[in-house]
PDB file of all heavy atoms in Angstrom:
ATOM      1  N   GLU A  86      -2.690   2.533  15.269  1.00 87.00           N
ATOM      2  CA  GLU A  86      -2.853   1.230  15.905  1.00 87.00           C
ATOM      3  C   GLU A  86      -3.136   0.146  14.863  1.00 87.00           C
ATOM      4  O   GLU A  86      -2.656  -0.986  14.973  1.00 87.00           O
ATOM      5  CB  GLU A  86      -3.995   1.266  16.930  1.00 87.00           C
ATOM      6  CG  GLU A  86      -3.745   2.160  18.133  1.00 87.00           C
ATOM      7  CD  GLU A  86      -3.970   3.637  17.824  1.00 87.00           C
ATOM      8  OE1 GLU A  86      -4.460   3.953  16.709  1.00 87.00           O
ATOM      9  OE2 GLU A  86      -3.654   4.466  18.697  1.00 87.00           O
ATOM     10  N   ASP A  87      -3.928   0.501  13.836  1.00 82.00           N
ATOM     11  CA  ASP A  87      -4.228  -0.452  12.766  1.00 82.00           C
ATOM     12  C   ASP A  87      -2.951  -0.838  12.018  1.00 82.00           C
ATOM     13  O   ASP A  87      -2.710  -2.010  11.731  1.00 82.00           O
ATOM     14  CB  ASP A  87      -5.236   0.155  11.782  1.00 82.00           C
ATOM     15  CG  ASP A  87      -6.576   0.438  12.419  1.00 82.00           C
ATOM     16  OD1 ASP A  87      -6.928  -0.275  13.378  1.00 82.00           O
ATOM     17  OD2 ASP A  87      -7.259   1.369  11.967  1.00 82.00           O
ATOM     18  N   LEU A  88      -2.146   0.176  11.680  1.00 85.00           N
ATOM     19  CA  LEU A  88      -0.901  -0.079  10.964  1.00 85.00           C
ATOM     20  C   LEU A  88       0.035  -0.969  11.780  1.00 85.00           C
ATOM     21  O   LEU A  88       0.655  -1.894  11.250  1.00 85.00           O
ATOM     22  CB  LEU A  88      -0.204   1.243  10.634  1.00 85.00           C
ATOM     23  CG  LEU A  88      -0.822   2.078   9.516  1.00 85.00           C
ATOM     24  CD1 LEU A  88      -0.160   3.449   9.455  1.00 85.00           C
ATOM     25  CD2 LEU A  88      -0.684   1.372   8.173  1.00 85.00           C
ATOM     26  N   ALA A  89       0.137  -0.686  13.075  1.00 91.00           N
ATOM     27  CA  ALA A  89       1.027  -1.466  13.941  1.00 91.00           C
ATOM     28  C   ALA A  89       0.592  -2.930  13.986  1.00 91.00           C
ATOM     29  O   ALA A  89       1.433  -3.845  13.926  1.00 91.00           O
ATOM     30  CB  ALA A  89       1.047  -0.875  15.349  1.00 91.00           C
ATOM     31  N   GLU A  90      -0.715  -3.172  14.053  1.00 91.00           N
ATOM     32  CA  GLU A  90      -1.219  -4.545  14.093  1.00 91.00           C
ATOM     33  C   GLU A  90      -0.929  -5.271  12.780  1.00 91.00           C
ATOM     34  O   GLU A  90      -0.518  -6.435  12.765  1.00 91.00           O
ATOM     35  CB  GLU A  90      -2.725  -4.541  14.371  1.00 91.00           C
ATOM     36  CG  GLU A  90      -3.076  -4.157  15.799  1.00 91.00           C
ATOM     37  CD  GLU A  90      -4.569  -4.187  16.050  1.00 91.00           C
ATOM     38  OE1 GLU A  90      -5.331  -4.474  15.094  1.00 91.00           O
ATOM     39  OE2 GLU A  90      -4.983  -3.925  17.190  1.00 91.00           O
ATOM     40  N   ILE A  91      -1.153  -4.571  11.664  1.00 89.00           N
ATOM     41  CA  ILE A  91      -0.890  -5.164  10.348  1.00 89.00           C
ATOM     42  C   ILE A  91       0.573  -5.556  10.229  1.00 89.00           C
ATOM     43  O   ILE A  91       0.915  -6.648   9.750  1.00 89.00           O
ATOM     44  CB  ILE A  91      -1.268  -4.172   9.229  1.00 89.00           C
ATOM     45  CG1 ILE A  91      -2.785  -3.946   9.208  1.00 89.00           C
ATOM     46  CG2 ILE A  91      -0.797  -4.694   7.867  1.00 89.00           C
ATOM     47  CD1 ILE A  91      -3.197  -2.757   8.369  1.00 89.00           C
ATOM     48  N   TYR A  92       1.456  -4.673  10.676  1.00 92.00           N
ATOM     49  CA  TYR A  92       2.885  -4.932  10.511  1.00 92.00           C
ATOM     50  C   TYR A  92       3.415  -5.989  11.464  1.00 92.00           C
ATOM     51  O   TYR A  92       4.407  -6.666  11.157  1.00 92.00           O
ATOM     52  CB  TYR A  92       3.672  -3.620  10.601  1.00 92.00           C
ATOM     53  CG  TYR A  92       3.819  -3.002   9.229  1.00 92.00           C
ATOM     54  CD1 TYR A  92       2.750  -2.342   8.629  1.00 92.00           C
ATOM     55  CD2 TYR A  92       4.987  -3.160   8.496  1.00 92.00           C
ATOM     56  CE1 TYR A  92       2.850  -1.831   7.357  1.00 92.00           C
ATOM     57  CE2 TYR A  92       5.097  -2.651   7.218  1.00 92.00           C
ATOM     58  CZ  TYR A  92       4.029  -1.988   6.658  1.00 92.00           C
ATOM     59  OH  TYR A  92       4.135  -1.508   5.374  1.00 92.00           O
ATOM     60  N   ARG A  93       2.787  -6.173  12.601  1.00 95.00           N
ATOM     61  CA  ARG A  93       3.184  -7.294  13.464  1.00 95.00           C
ATOM     62  C   ARG A  93       2.914  -8.625  12.761  1.00 95.00           C
ATOM     63  O   ARG A  93       3.724  -9.554  12.811  1.00 95.00           O
ATOM     64  CB  ARG A  93       2.399  -7.243  14.786  1.00 95.00           C
ATOM     65  CG  ARG A  93       2.917  -6.229  15.784  1.00 95.00           C
ATOM     66  CD  ARG A  93       2.356  -6.451  17.174  1.00 95.00           C
ATOM     67  NE  ARG A  93       2.425  -5.235  17.951  1.00 95.00           N
ATOM     68  CZ  ARG A  93       1.418  -4.387  18.123  1.00 95.00           C
ATOM     69  NH1 ARG A  93       0.245  -4.635  17.570  1.00 95.00           N
ATOM     70  NH2 ARG A  93       1.566  -3.292  18.845  1.00 95.00           N
ATOM     71  N   VAL A  94       1.767  -8.695  12.120  1.00 94.00           N
ATOM     72  CA  VAL A  94       1.411  -9.914  11.394  1.00 94.00           C
ATOM     73  C   VAL A  94       2.335 -10.092  10.186  1.00 94.00           C
ATOM     74  O   VAL A  94       2.820 -11.198   9.918  1.00 94.00           O
ATOM     75  CB  VAL A  94      -0.063  -9.867  10.942  1.00 94.00           C
ATOM     76  CG1 VAL A  94      -0.402 -11.088  10.097  1.00 94.00           C
ATOM     77  CG2 VAL A  94      -0.985  -9.799  12.151  1.00 94.00           C
ATOM     78  N   ARG A  95       2.593  -9.007   9.458  1.00 94.00           N
ATOM     79  CA  ARG A  95       3.496  -9.079   8.304  1.00 94.00           C
ATOM     80  C   ARG A  95       4.873  -9.584   8.727  1.00 94.00           C
ATOM     81  O   ARG A  95       5.484 -10.397   8.025  1.00 94.00           O
ATOM     82  CB  ARG A  95       3.650  -7.699   7.661  1.00 94.00           C
ATOM     83  CG  ARG A  95       2.501  -7.255   6.810  1.00 94.00           C
ATOM     84  CD  ARG A  95       2.896  -6.073   5.955  1.00 94.00           C
ATOM     85  NE  ARG A  95       3.847  -6.448   4.918  1.00 94.00           N
ATOM     86  CZ  ARG A  95       4.391  -5.599   4.043  1.00 94.00           C
ATOM     87  NH1 ARG A  95       4.079  -4.307   4.100  1.00 94.00           N
ATOM     88  NH2 ARG A  95       5.235  -6.018   3.119  1.00 94.00           N
ATOM     89  N   GLU A  96       5.370  -9.079   9.848  1.00 96.00           N
ATOM     90  CA  GLU A  96       6.712  -9.459  10.290  1.00 96.00           C
ATOM     91  C   GLU A  96       6.782 -10.962  10.541  1.00 96.00           C
ATOM     92  O   GLU A  96       7.729 -11.631  10.116  1.00 96.00           O
ATOM     93  CB  GLU A  96       7.093  -8.673  11.540  1.00 96.00           C
ATOM     94  CG  GLU A  96       8.525  -8.886  11.971  1.00 96.00           C
ATOM     95  CD  GLU A  96       8.936  -7.956  13.108  1.00 96.00           C
ATOM     96  OE1 GLU A  96       8.605  -6.751  13.068  1.00 96.00           O
ATOM     97  OE2 GLU A  96       9.593  -8.450  14.053  1.00 96.00           O
ATOM     98  N   ALA A  97       5.761 -11.495  11.213  1.00 96.00           N
ATOM     99  CA  ALA A  97       5.760 -12.927  11.508  1.00 96.00           C
ATOM    100  C   ALA A  97       5.711 -13.752  10.224  1.00 96.00           C
ATOM    101  O   ALA A  97       6.456 -14.726  10.067  1.00 96.00           O
ATOM    102  CB  ALA A  97       4.568 -13.267  12.401  1.00 96.00           C
ATOM    103  N   LEU A  98       4.854 -13.354   9.297  1.00 96.00           N
ATOM    104  CA  LEU A  98       4.644 -14.134   8.079  1.00 96.00           C
ATOM    105  C   LEU A  98       5.778 -13.967   7.069  1.00 96.00           C
ATOM    106  O   LEU A  98       6.269 -14.952   6.495  1.00 96.00           O
ATOM    107  CB  LEU A  98       3.322 -13.742   7.433  1.00 96.00           C
ATOM    108  CG  LEU A  98       2.046 -14.021   8.239  1.00 96.00           C
ATOM    109  CD1 LEU A  98       0.833 -13.464   7.506  1.00 96.00           C
ATOM    110  CD2 LEU A  98       1.877 -15.516   8.489  1.00 96.00           C
TER     111      LEU A  98
END
Side-chain angles (χ1 to χ4, degrees):
E86 294 79 8
D87 296 331
L88 286 171
E90 288 181 358
I91 293 167
Y92 270 76
R93 282 195 202 98
V94 176
R95 283 195 69 182
E96 187 173 317
L98 297 175

